[in-house]
Amino acid sequence: MDYMSEYKRWLDCSALSADEHAELAAVADNQEEIESRFFAPLSFGTAGLRGVLGVGLNRMNRFTVGQAAQGLANLIVSNGQAAMDRGVAIAYDSRHFSAEFAKQSACIMAANGIQSLLFDELRPTPELSFAVRHYGCIAGINITASHNPKEYNGYKVYWEDGAQLPPAEADVVANEMAKTDIFTGVKTADYDESVKNGLIRILSKETDEAYLGEVIKVAVNPDCVKQVADEFKLVYTPFHGAGYRLVPEILRRLGYKHIICEPEQMKIDGDFPTVKNPNPEYKEGFTLAIELAKQNDVDLIIGTDPDSDRTGIVLKDKSGEYVTLSGNQVGVLLTDYIITAKKLTNTMPAHPAVLKSIVTTEMARAAAEKNGVACFDTFTGFKFLAEKIKQFEQDGSHEYIFAFEESYGYLCGDYARDKDAVTASMLIAEMAAYYRTQGKTLYDAMEEMYEKYGCYCEQTISIVMPGVSGLQRMKELMQELRDKPLTTVGTHKIDYTRDYMPGTRTCMADGKSEPMELKGQNVMYYELEGGTTFIIRPSGTEPKVKVYIMAKGENKAEAAEKVEALTVAAKEIVK
C-alpha cells in the first residue's frame, strides 16, 4: 500500500472532523509517523481489531470501527433473516471512546436490519459472552483492549456460542471489510429512532442478575466462607475498570462481609491514572491496594483488569511481605482446590478434565493427573479452550471442571466461553476461606503445592518490536528459526522441536518427525533435556514476541536457576 497516497486521501476527506484533520496535519513532516498510521489496515482476526487510538488506517477510530461493524453486519446478513433476528449483544469497558464505538456499532447493525442488545454502561467481558448465549444472539461485540496501556482500544467479536469469532467467520468479516469503502461504504441509522423502533434494545441490571445467578452456581464449597466470614478481610481493586460493581457483589453473595475496595481505583477512568499499566500481572499496579491491605492487616488482595477478564492476586508471605503470584501459580492453586472441593462435596463428574494452553505450566498437568483428572492442551487464546469445551459437549468424552491460561485467565461453568475475572475472584476468595478453615493462608497452600507436585518455575519474556520494522523482524525471526533449527538454548541441549505451523514434532537426535494433533499456529516449541520447555511465539494482539520458559528442578532453587540461565539465552536468540 502507498501510505502517502492513503494519508492524502484521509487528509482531503470531508468526512473527517476539524479535530481529526488537525491531528493528521500535525504529522505532515513526520514520515515515520505517517507510515505507521497508513502502511496497512489494522488486521482483523479471530480476536477482532486492536490498536492505538488515533486517526489513520492503522489506528482505532470511528472509521476503522465502522468498517469492522459493517463487515460483521455483512456476515450476519449472509446467514439469512433468522440470524439477523437473533441480534448482536454489545458491551464495552472504561477505555477512551469505548462507549462511543459501542453505540456506533449498534447504529450500524440497525441500518442493516439487525437488532442490537446494547448494555447501558460498561460491563465485564465475560458478561458479554454470557449475554450472547443467554439471549441466543448470533454474535457479540465488545469494545475493549483488555489489559493494554491506555493508548489502545479494540473491537472483539464473538460468535453464537459465546466464544471469540472462529477463523472461517473472521475471514469473511476481513474480506467484507476489504470490499467496504471506509468512508462511504458503511451504513448507519439514527440512534434514538433505532431505540424507538426496537432495533436497539438496552440491557440493564436484569442481565447482571441472570449472569450473577450463573456465576454463583460455580461456587464449589461456599460453606467454608460462612465459617470465616466474620473475621476474614480482603482487598479488591478493579484498576479503574468494569469489575468495580459485580466483583464486590459476587463476593458479598458468596458470604464475605469485609470486602475493602481501593477507593481511587474504583473510579472509572480510561487514563488509568493510578497505574502505569492496567495489568494485574504487575505488582506496581497494586501499590495502593497493598497500602490499604497493610492498614487493615489483610492477607489477600484481588485485582481485575479494565475489562474484568483477567485476575491477579497479592498475598502476604511468611515474613509479612506482600508478594504477587504468577498466573501459573494461581492456576495450579485453583486446579488443586477445585479438585479437592469437588471430591469433598461429591460433585466430581465421571470424566473430569482440566484445560490449559501449551504455554501454561506443566505443574497443572501434574496436579490434575495425580488426582485422576485428565489434562488437555490447546493453543494460546481462550477461543481455543472454548473450542475444546465445545468438543467435550459434542462427543461426551469429558466434562471440563476448570480451564486457564498463564496470562491470568480462568474459567469454570457453562454460562460463558471466555475467561472470567468475576468467577475467578469468587473462586479465589472461596479457596482462601477453605485454607483459613485449615489454619493456612494461600501462600502456605502454594508452598505445599511444590511438595505435592514438584518444583516448577516459569518465566514469560516479552520483547517489543514496534512499528513496521518490528512486524518485519517478527516474521524474519520465525523464518530463521525454521531455516536454521536451534540445537541448543544456552547450555541446554534440545531433545525435540515442535513446529506448530505444520504440526510436526522432530527428534533432534535422528531427525525423524511425527505429526501432532495441534497445528496451524506460528509457534516454535523446544523440549530441552531434563524436562524444561522453551517456547517462542509472536503475540497475536500486540507488537511483541513472547518467550515462555517452563522449568522443573529437584528443588525451587534449581528450577529458578534454569529459568534465569534460559532468560539470558532467550535475549540472545530473540533480538
Side-chain angles (χ1 to χ4, degrees):
M1 177 175 284
D2 181 348
Y3 66 87
M4 281 305 299
S5 295
E6 190 65 18
Y7 168 63
K8 289 174 182 175
R9 178 186 174 222
W10 280 61
L11 199 59
D12 296 339
C13 182
S14 60
L16 270 67
S17 68
D19 287 344
E20 288 165 338
H21 274 117
E23 183 178 330
L24 287 185
V27 301
D29 297 327
N30 189 335
Q31 287 290 313
E32 186 177 349
E33 179 65 17
I34 294 171
E35 183 179 13
S36 173
R37 288 174 183 247
F38 292 98
F39 75 95
L42 282 176
S43 176
F44 188 95
T46 55
L49 298 176
R50 190 176 297 186
V52 174
L53 287 160
V55 185
L57 193 63
N58 197 255
R59 294 289 186 269
M60 286 292 298
N61 53 65
R62 62 191 178 102
F63 301 107
T64 52
V65 164
Q67 191 179 45
Q70 187 62 55
L72 175 61
N74 291 352
L75 166 65
I76 294 169
V77 170
S78 73
N79 277 267
Q81 189 62 48
M84 296 164 66
D85 292 343
R86 290 171 65 183
V88 178
I90 303 176
Y92 58 93
D93 69 3
S94 59
R95 289 177 181 274
H96 296 304
F97 299 104
S98 284
E100 292 88 339
F101 292 159
K103 188 174 178 179
Q104 177 191 5
S105 296
C107 291
I108 291 168
M109 294 300 143
N112 285 274
I114 302 164
Q115 186 185 63
S116 291
L117 283 66
L118 175 65
F119 278 100
D120 60 351
E121 63 171 352
L122 75 167
R123 289 299 195 288
T125 285
E127 188 174 359
L128 183 275
S129 176
F130 164 78
V132 171
R133 294 172 66 83
H134 182 67
Y135 293 110
C137 297
I138 186 64
I141 298 166
N142 195 23
I143 311 299
T144 175
S146 191
H147 59 293
N148 282 60
K150 65 182 180 180
E151 294 81 11
Y152 283 77
N153 212 327
Y155 195 89
K156 290 177 75 171
V157 180
Y158 293 74
W159 204 228
E160 58 185 336
D161 61 349
Q164 289 179 40
L165 205 59
E169 282 75 12
D171 288 344
V172 172
V173 174
N175 290 334
E176 291 297 323
M177 288 173 64
K179 293 188 289 186
T180 300
D181 186 277
I182 201 165
F183 297 123
T184 63
V186 178
K187 301 176 185 177
T188 191
D190 180 75
Y191 175 77
D192 291 333
E193 183 63 30
S194 298
V195 171
K196 188 177 177 181
N197 65 28
L199 277 170
I200 296 177
R201 174 181 157 198
I202 305 302
L203 297 182
S204 188
K205 291 185 178 179
E206 75 283 351
T207 308
D208 298 342
E209 284 303 315
Y211 167 66
L212 291 172
E214 291 301 314
V215 172
I216 200 68
K217 291 177 186 176
V218 175
V220 190
N221 188 17
D223 284 348
C224 60
V225 177
K226 297 173 185 174
Q227 297 176 48
V228 302
D230 287 339
E231 48 90 21
F232 197 124
K233 295 180 287 187
L234 60 85
V235 168
Y236 169 67
T237 170
F239 284 7
H240 303 285
Y244 78 107
R245 192 162 52 81
L246 297 191
V247 172
E249 179 59 26
I250 199 64
L251 295 177
R252 280 190 285 270
R253 294 188 187 193
L254 183 67
Y256 270 93
K257 299 177 181 178
H258 306 292
I259 306 153
I260 306 167
C261 297
E262 205 300 305
E264 289 302 309
Q265 294 180 342
M266 285 288 280
K267 296 174 183 175
I268 305 305
D269 192 334
D271 280 328
F272 313 119
T274 65
V275 293
K276 183 179 179 182
N277 200 331
N279 188 340
E281 176 180 348
Y282 302 119
K283 186 178 180 181
E284 304 84 68
F286 286 96
T287 299
L288 293 177
I290 290 171
E291 284 304 310
L292 196 59
K294 287 178 180 177
Q295 293 165 17
N296 291 275
D297 191 27
V298 170
D299 292 336
L300 171 63
I301 304 168
I302 298 175
T304 58
D305 69 342
D307 69 322
S308 196
D309 66 350
R310 296 171 192 252
T311 318
I313 64 175
V314 178
L315 305 176
K316 191 189 290 184
D317 67 13
K318 292 183 184 299
S319 69
E321 288 295 310
Y322 286 90
V323 297
T324 54
L325 291 194
S326 70
N328 280 315
Q329 289 173 315
V330 176
V332 171
L333 273 170
L334 283 169
T335 297
D336 182 77
Y337 170 70
I338 289 167
I339 291 170
T340 300
K342 283 188 174 294
K343 288 180 176 179
L344 280 172
T345 55
N346 295 313
T347 55
M348 185 71 81
H351 303 288
V354 168
L355 304 178
K356 71 178 191 68
S357 70
I358 59 173
V359 299
T360 298
T361 180
E362 284 296 292
M363 191 176 181
R365 189 182 312 282
E369 292 180 350
K370 192 168 182 179
N371 286 286
V373 174
C375 183
F376 293 87
D377 280 341
T378 72
F379 281 131
T380 305
F382 242 82
K383 57 182 171 285
F384 297 110
L385 292 163
E387 284 178 4
K388 198 70 177 176
I389 294 168
K390 188 174 182 179
Q391 179 193 322
F392 288 163
E393 285 182 343
Q394 292 170 344
D395 65 24
S397 62
H398 293 83
E399 183 177 330
Y400 102 99
I401 59 170
F402 183 53
F404 82 103
E405 290 189 308
E406 44 70 47
S407 53
Y408 298 77
Y410 316 97
L411 180 66
C412 278
D414 195 42
Y415 59 91
R417 286 290 183 272
D418 208 350
K419 51 189 174 287
D420 186 349
V422 180
T423 295
S425 297
M426 179 188 73
L427 287 171
I428 289 165
E430 180 189 315
M431 175 172 62
Y434 167 76
Y435 284 113
R436 176 66 66 91
T437 66
Q438 307 292 307
K440 301 172 186 175
T441 66
L442 278 182
Y443 188 84
D444 296 330
M446 190 65 239
E447 293 292 292
E448 288 181 2
M449 293 298 111
Y450 294 115
E451 294 176 19
K452 286 197 283 187
Y453 305 123
C455 294
Y456 293 78
C457 186
E458 299 84 23
Q459 178 72 44
T460 301
I461 307 161
S462 294
I463 299 169
V464 178
M465 297 186 175
V468 182
S469 59
L471 289 174
Q472 183 60 36
R473 177 58 195 142
M474 286 162 70
K475 290 180 183 177
E476 291 172 354
L477 170 68
M478 299 308 289
Q479 193 57 50
E480 287 168 7
L481 292 172
R482 292 181 170 99
D483 292 342
K484 301 174 183 176
L486 298 176
T487 56
T488 60
V489 179
T491 60
H492 292 258
K493 185 167 69 73
I494 297 171
D495 289 337
Y496 291 88
T497 296
R498 302 184 202 175
D499 185 345
Y500 279 101
M501 189 61 82
T504 55
R505 180 174 183 258
T506 302
C507 175
M508 302 308 289
D510 58 19
K512 291 181 180 178
S513 295
E514 58 185 4
M516 300 185 296
E517 180 185 356
L518 297 178
K519 65 179 180 178
Q521 291 283 307
N522 193 14
V523 180
M524 297 299 295
Y525 186 116
Y526 302 97
E527 299 175 42
L528 311 183
E529 57 187 348
T532 293
T533 303
F534 185 87
I535 306 165
I536 303 175
R537 64 176 280 270
S539 171
T541 57
E542 300 170 89
K544 60 177 64 170
V545 171
K546 290 191 171 184
V547 179
Y548 303 84
I549 300 164
M550 300 189 289
K552 184 180 180 183
E554 290 297 316
N555 51 56
K556 287 171 67 177
E558 182 182 284
E561 284 171 11
K562 288 182 180 180
V563 167
E564 186 176 348
L566 289 168
T567 298
V568 174
K571 291 173 182 175
E572 285 299 310
I573 294 168
V574 182
K575 59 183 179 181

